[in-house]
Amino acid sequence: MRAAARAAIASGESLACDDKYPRLIDEAAAAIASLHPSRPVHRVQAAGCTAVVSYWRHWPCLFPQHGPGPKHQRRIVLDDWQRAIVSSIRKRSCAA
């Protein structure tokens, strides 16, 4: 498959991070890279923020709440596996 065709079917995932928190930017890049180590993670600088970006056709599988239309007009619900991760992070944060 040609690169142009692959790019056309890849979904992009982007996290906008405030430049005041460089550690957060590093952690966001590491988290995205850990989900699919063979995919590149890019940092795109804008005024006062850095977008951490990666393209992969399976991002919608990992984030099933993505869908057509504006986020504020659709229900966003975590799947069970996502709730388990959030719960474990909360427990660790409260213990610290």
Side-chain angles (χ1 to χ4, degrees), residues 9-82:
I9 58 174
S11 294
E13 200 53 43
S14 176
L15 298 171
C17 303
D18 191 316
D19 284 339
K20 293 178 190 172
Y21 306 98
R23 186 172 144 211
L24 175 68
I25 296 168
D26 293 339
E27 288 179 5
I32 290 174
S34 73
L35 292 170
H36 196 304
S38 67
R39 300 296 308 162
V41 177
H42 308 281
R43 297 174 192 221
V44 180
Q45 188 65 49
C49 71
T50 299
V52 181
V53 183
S54 182
Y55 294 93
W56 183 33
R57 73 179 71 180
H58 293 293
W59 283 126
C61 300
L62 293 176
F63 299 99
Q65 64 269 30
H66 280 250
K71 290 180 197 173
H72 69 281
Q73 293 180 348
R74 67 177 187 268
R75 188 177 163 142
I76 299 175
V77 179
L78 297 177
D79 278 354
D80 291 340
W81 68 269
Q82 292 171 315

